[in-house]
Amino acid sequence: MFSRRAFRLLSPLLLALPACASSTSAPPSSPAKAEAPPPDVPFPWEARPSTAAGTETPAAASPPVLIRNATLWLATGKTISRGSILLRDGKIAAVAEGDIPPPEGARVLDAAGKFVTPGIIDTHSHLGVYPMPGTVAHLDGNEASSPVTPDVQTVDGFWPQDPAIERAVAGGVTTLQILPGSANLVGGRAVTLKLRPALSPRQMHFPGAPDGLKMACGENPKRTYGVERHSMPGTRMGNLAMQRKAFLDAKKHEEDWQRHRITEANRLRDDQKKRAAYEAQLESRNKQQAQCKDDPYFSSCAEWQKDWDKPLEPPRPSDPGAAPARDPAKETLIGAMRGSVLVHVHCYRADDMLAMLALADEVGFRVRSFHHALEAYKIRDVLAKKGVSVSTWADWWGFKMEAYDGIPENIALLQESGALPIVHTDSPEGIQRMNQEASKALASGRRAGMPLTDEEAIRWLTYNPAWALGIEQRVGTLEVGKDADVVLWDRHPFSVYASAEEVFIDGAPVYQKGKKRPPWSDFELGQDTGRPTTLLPGGAP
């Protein structure tokens, strides 16, 4: 054994050993710290609320507009018989009884004897995918090559220069949901648009509006595939079977992604543990070496030295696992099941609607609105309890077997039961007179003895459809802070003689009755439309 004096003589060598060992086996002096697993990245179906989002055209700058002395239908259940509304910076800045002072530079409109309402919203339109003129070249609404096509989307087929768009705006319409047609059981994604002139539907996209999913019940899919092609579905049984399978397949895809995320989280956690263990061992060795440098006679130094000779290798990060392949069709259906894509179902008969509600409960989605729904009055208690809106006509019926039991009191009975009725059109002609459609439904209910109010009926055109499209926080009522999508009517909006005098979207005028301006659609330039297309002085529209 070494004497105490010999140990002292050798101590400079011992002090040198740790440094030597550290220089050959330890990692760099400032190793990267172990990182926690990254925050969960969105699943593909969670990346954004709409596939159309990202390139919207901002609202055009315009001076403030003050409308005075008008009857204001707020669509909140309240009417102001003589009030003022101020539109500024794209929003409704003030709503008041009586008068309010105009801000500097404001355009002031005296609307005595006139009415102001929120902009009309049509939840069921095919403008742009079945545009004017109706030719084979323009048939872009039904991808009728397969009965289940959730991966197609109307934003990819919408023609922004459809002449029908400007005509809809002239009728007081400011927002549309553009749906695929109803040939398919699952027709694809719908997009919600603000009706401003643009070259791309993505520029027209209502910012923040979620996509819809169009589905269909009953006769249309059966006829398109079973009767015309002798393929499935040929029955209502086949309809539900194929819809059920589509959602169950999407559930499996979601589970594959969930498993992948769990596997990746575990992999990253294991990498973190290994890195943390390595850093702890490195820190311990550094402390040992520092202690032995300060006190070479410490009893554990000789034993520790044995470990110092072993190199410390930083752990290599593991390789990430392969993610499941992207599948836009299944991603759309997963979005529907998670509520980020709102489900709209073409369905006429009460039994078909109940079957769809049962399917929704079975596979895990919610119906936001039944469209057409001529027999909704038969199950109005169920629809009210489940909070399902109904987008329907005032009086269309009888054009096929499943439309046989339509009645003009449908909307009124839904209102009376506490359900959420909506006037829709499904028509490039009807969309020009949606105020009259609501008026007809109101008159039918009153004739049947239901004490319906104008305040309830205006919501069939504004707030209720806004809710169905998931945009009720932005539009649908005349409230401070909401988008200034507003219509000035020349008389009572439910009069057959009423017309929109001026239409504002985000506070900017997009239509002014009698004002000369070129048509929105290049298609109509040079055509004999019977309308003046003279440019204003200076060439401005």
Side-chain angles (χ1 to χ4, degrees), residues 119-324:
I120 293 174
I121 301 167
D122 192 354
T123 60
H124 191 115
S125 176
H126 301 298
L127 299 191
V129 292
Y130 285 126
M132 294 179 173
T135 67
V136 173
H138 277 165
L139 300 181
D140 288 314
N142 269 312
E143 182 51 50
S145 54
S146 168
V148 178
T149 56
D151 47 338
V152 305
Q153 45 196 31
T154 53
V155 73
D156 291 332
F158 181 85
W159 185 38
Q161 295 195 37
D162 180 356
I165 297 171
E166 185 180 8
R167 289 163 170 78
V169 173
V173 180
T174 56
T175 299
L176 295 180
Q177 178 175 231
I178 307 301
L179 290 160
S182 52
N184 292 352
L185 298 166
V186 183
R189 281 185 181 250
V191 66
T192 298
L193 306 177
K194 285 205 177 198
L195 299 190
R196 290 191 289 255
L199 295 176
S200 161
R202 288 173 171 82
Q203 294 174 331
M204 300 172 67
H205 179 244
F206 191 120
D211 285 346
L213 174 65
K214 172 69 175 291
M215 296 177 62
C217 299
E219 291 183 20
N220 286 20
K222 290 200 314 166
R223 181 184 67 250
T224 302
Y225 294 95
V227 175
E228 296 177 5
R229 304 187 187 183
H230 306 290
S231 64
M232 191 173 180
T235 63
R236 281 180 163 80
M237 295 184 295
N239 285 354
L240 271 294
M242 295 190 77
Q243 288 167 330
R244 181 179 295 110
K245 182 180 186 303
F247 277 98
L248 293 178
D249 287 347
K251 271 183 175 290
K252 183 180 182 302
H253 185 68
E254 181 183 21
E255 291 165 0
D256 291 344
W257 269 98
Q258 294 280 14
R259 278 192 293 272
H260 168 70
R261 177 176 278 187
I262 292 170
T263 299
E264 285 299 286
N266 290 337
R267 178 184 66 80
L268 292 170
R269 191 160 41 248
D270 289 344
D271 283 356
Q272 183 189 28
K273 289 179 180 178
K274 291 175 184 177
R275 183 77 189 190
Y278 160 75
E279 290 179 353
Q281 190 176 2
L282 178 63
E283 183 180 6
S284 176
R285 177 175 291 190
N286 288 338
K287 286 181 179 179
Q288 292 171 1
Q289 292 172 346
Q291 186 169 357
C292 291
K293 184 175 181 179
D294 291 340
D295 184 3
Y297 308 108
F298 188 69
S299 59
S300 299
C301 287
E303 187 66 28
W304 286 345
Q305 175 63 44
K306 298 175 184 178
D307 287 335
W308 297 344
D309 291 333
K310 301 173 184 177
L312 282 179
E313 294 290 342
R316 187 183 70 82
S318 59
D319 294 327

